[in-house]
Amino acid sequence: GLKTTSINRRLTAIRQFFRFLLQEELVDSDPTRDIVRAKKALYLPEVLSIEEVDRLLGAPDCSTPLGLRDKAMLELLYATGLRVSELVGLKLQNLNLHVGYLMTRGKGGKERLVPLGESAQARVQEYLGRGRPQLVHKAVDALFCSNRGTAMTRQNFWYIIKRHAADCGILKPISPHTLRHSFATHLLSGGADLRSVQMML
């Protein structure tokens, strides 16, 4: 009745125990040696509908610096499909708003150029003009800052997205990764080819 992850975790513990017993010469053989790990079930990630995305993007209060920051981060995440670690790791020099792209470093240290849509560009420009200057208290080159003026963390943004989702009545489980999957799903349903979406991600 356990999930496969729980079964495998328990199996690992039992295997380690029998290795210890063998080393201490308390048993003659390891009965766990031929037990095959349970195969993990494939879980499809939660995806927001376009209407839910619109509500989420409209949730931040853009009359405040923090609201401008949150709006820019949400728009950027949905428009580009960035991982949250890539989003919070963006530096000012990674951004080219004149041409409309950003440069990010993904898994394995691979650099890639990601195009920006007009809406995301406008939101980031607004944040840079009216929001970020009021948040930064020292020489920080991070694009997105916390309310203490330091670089944003993944945990900070996790809290932000959960709060805005609750504020606009989205009841399904949501994380920064939800917007990445929604970005890909909406592109595919809009006619983008799979290879192009994979390249962007």
Side-chain angles (χ1 to χ4, degrees), residues 3-200:
K3 287 185 178 178
T4 53
T5 49
S6 299
I7 292 169
N8 287 334
R9 197 165 50 245
R10 292 183 182 194
L11 178 58
T12 298
I14 294 167
R15 278 184 170 153
Q16 292 297 327
F17 178 59
F18 272 98
R19 280 186 192 157
F20 165 76
L21 293 177
L22 279 170
Q23 286 174 351
E24 297 295 315
E25 299 180 353
L26 295 170
V27 295
D28 297 324
S29 63
D30 179 0
T32 68
R33 190 181 58 201
D34 298 323
I35 299 176
V36 179
R37 288 172 65 84
K39 285 189 178 176
K40 286 185 181 177
L42 291 175
Y43 294 105
L44 287 174
E46 195 75 60
V47 174
L48 298 178
S49 68
I50 291 174
E51 185 267 336
E52 286 171 325
V53 169
D54 285 341
R55 275 165 39 208
L56 182 63
L57 296 181
D61 175 8
C62 291
S63 66
T64 69
L66 292 175
L68 288 169
R69 178 205 63 193
D70 294 356
K71 175 85 167 172
M73 291 186 83
L74 290 169
E75 286 269 4
L76 200 56
L77 197 63
Y78 179 63
T80 60
L82 291 177
R83 295 177 182 89
V84 66
S85 55
E86 295 168 345
L87 179 75
V88 299
L90 286 174
K91 309 279 189 247
L92 290 169
Q93 61 266 28
N94 296 143
L95 209 58
N96 188 326
L97 292 176
H98 301 295
V99 180
Y101 72 87
L102 60 83
M103 189 176 69
T104 184
R105 194 178 294 275
K107 281 187 176 176
K110 289 182 186 173
E111 283 189 345
R112 71 182 193 281
L113 296 180
V114 181
L116 293 174
E118 288 181 10
S119 180
Q121 285 183 63
R123 297 292 78 76
V124 172
Q125 191 75 65
E126 193 176 12
Y127 160 69
L128 288 173
R130 298 195 298 119
R132 189 176 184 278
Q134 295 186 56
L135 296 175
V136 176
H137 304 308
K138 44 188 146 183
V140 175
D141 64 349
L143 175 59
F144 295 110
C145 304
S146 70
N147 55 0
R148 294 190 301 276
T150 55
M152 176 73 67
T153 66
R154 294 172 67 218
Q155 291 77 13
N156 286 148
F157 188 61
W158 186 283
Y159 169 75
I160 287 166
I161 200 169
K162 293 260 191 196
R163 179 165 50 82
H164 287 308
D167 288 347
C168 67
I170 296 173
L171 302 177
K172 59 179 69 167
I174 187 171
S175 72
H177 217 62
T178 309
L179 275 181
R180 179 172 161 84
H181 287 292
S182 301
F183 158 82
T185 302
H186 296 164
L187 276 180
L188 291 170
S189 64
D193 70 281
L194 182 60
R195 186 66 191 137
S196 297
V197 174
Q198 286 173 330
M199 290 288 287
M200 288 185 74

